[in-house]
Amino acid sequence: MQHISSTLGVPDTSYVPQHVAIIMDGNGRWATQRHLPRIAGHNRGLDAVRAVVEASAARGVQFLTLFAFSSENWRRPADEVSFLMRLFMTALRREVVKMHANNIRLRVVGDLSRFSPRIQQLIADAEARTARNTGLTVTIAANYGGRWDLLQAMRKMLARQPMLDPETIDESVLAPHLAMAYAPEPDLFIRTGGEQRISNFLLWQLAYSELYFTDTYWPDFDAAELDKAFASYRQRERRFGRTSAQLVAPGLSGTA
Ligand code: IPE
Ligand code: IPE
Ligand code: MG
């Protein structure tokens, strides 16, 4: 299914964001503040994932995308990276059973070739198992980078049509090759942990997303925090390039 591009048309918007994308940041600082090792923060971060998945499903969100590990996170100390890999495996084993029981579809996007064969197998199994579920789609971005995504999309596009005339390349030629082509663009982007940056997350897809930043560290983020973000979202006027006046008199507006 092709979703409307926010730069080519005006997407439907509703009260509850259809697609929420989150940079789950602040696990390390949450732990350090408590004189705990950083990994304790990652453990608690997984509890927050559970809470936010549940709350998103209950509120009628259709797509929830969570940045779990960036293409730059390999630069961290080896013991932290290997802990995160183990945690990812645990989550894939345990959480997927619950997700499946709750009709949740799981997808993982990113350059998966860098993960161990075991993790790759767990990902494939989890995706296959939940593929026919019709509730919330949870996407985990793992070894994901926005630039990687654009580059892999360009490679796929050219591999399919090596003689492609550059003049004919438009959004609709490239976008289907992006890792998240199955989802509409995020309506709401949330970053916890106080930093106000994109950190190479969904570069193409965030073109018209509403941005929400909170100082709350990810392990403290819960249903009530999600509701705060949604309340902020509801205050926004999503104009997609148009004027405010066009929004109150939609008959006068162009659709593109
Ligand atoms: C986010 O928390 C989790 C990952 C990036 C894997 P951090 O580990 O970045 O926590 P801070 O930013 O150091 O507090
Ligand atoms: C972004 O967090 C990536 C994830 C949450 C997975 P980081 O903590 O790695 O981001 P930077 O490096 O501080 O921008
Ligand atoms: Mg961080």
Side-chain angles (χ1 to χ4, degrees):
M1 177 188 162
Q2 272 275 30
H3 294 281
I4 195 160
S5 155
S6 60
T7 47
L8 295 180
V10 178
D12 280 341
T13 57
S14 60
Y15 197 65
V16 172
Q18 254 192 82
H19 182 177
V20 180
I22 309 183
I23 296 188
M24 311 183 287
D25 197 20
N27 292 353
R29 282 164 288 158
W30 180 94
T32 304
Q33 211 176 45
R34 287 163 178 74
H35 310 285
L36 296 168
R38 291 177 56 84
I39 58 172
H42 297 315
N43 270 329
R44 289 295 289 267
L46 182 55
D47 297 338
V49 168
R50 215 172 285 125
V52 169
V53 166
E54 208 174 283
S56 300
R59 282 151 186 72
V61 172
Q62 285 158 36
F63 295 89
L64 174 69
T65 302
L66 303 171
F67 204 5
F69 193 87
S70 76
S71 42
E72 288 70 44
N73 285 145
W74 299 103
R75 298 170 181 162
R76 294 192 177 197
D79 58 345
E80 184 169 341
V81 170
S82 73
F83 180 84
L84 286 167
M85 293 302 137
R86 284 201 303 279
L87 191 64
F88 191 26
M89 279 201 275
T90 309
L92 284 166
R93 281 205 197 92
R94 288 202 203 131
E95 305 300 322
V96 170
V97 181
K98 289 177 229 163
M99 286 187 177
H100 186 46
N102 289 311
N103 195 26
I104 292 171
R105 182 167 70 133
L106 184 79
R107 301 290 299 254
V108 181
V109 293
D111 180 3
L112 305 184
S113 68
R114 202 155 161 199
F115 292 116
S116 69
R118 223 161 130 209
I119 293 186
Q120 292 185 43
Q121 190 58 51
L122 283 168
I123 291 171
D125 293 348
E127 288 188 330
R129 184 171 189 171
T130 61
R132 280 178 301 279
N133 290 343
T134 54
L136 174 70
T137 295
V138 172
T139 300
I140 303 296
N143 193 23
Y144 180 88
R147 291 186 180 180
W148 164 83
D149 197 1
L150 283 165
L151 290 169
Q152 69 80 29
M154 287 177 209
R155 274 187 224 113
K156 275 194 197 145
M157 177 185 77
L158 289 172
R160 182 145 321 165
Q161 281 175 273
M163 303 305 282
L164 198 60
D165 173 1
E167 294 304 319
T168 64
I169 301 174
D170 60 15
E171 284 195 23
S172 68
V173 177
L174 182 68
H177 300 288
L178 291 167
M180 289 200 64
Y182 55 86
E185 295 170 33
D187 300 292
L188 175 64
F189 160 92
I190 299 174
R191 182 171 186 144
T192 63
E195 312 293 355
Q196 303 199 353
R197 54 180 176 247
I198 302 290
S199 299
N200 197 19
F201 196 24
L202 303 159
L203 296 179
W204 174 283
Q205 298 88 337
L206 292 175
Y208 263 113
S209 306
E210 296 298 327
L211 308 180
Y212 177 84
F213 298 96
T214 171
D215 288 337
T216 302
Y217 292 141
W218 177 251
D220 289 328
F221 197 87
D222 57 11
E225 292 285 334
L226 188 70
D227 286 334
K228 277 195 229 166
F230 286 9
S232 168
Y233 174 79
R234 285 195 292 272
Q235 302 298 314
R236 314 285 178 96
E237 184 177 73
R238 303 193 72 191
R239 292 192 289 276
F240 299 102
R242 298 164 299 171
T243 67
S244 271
Q246 287 174 297
L247 303 181
V248 289
L252 301 174
S253 69
T255 49

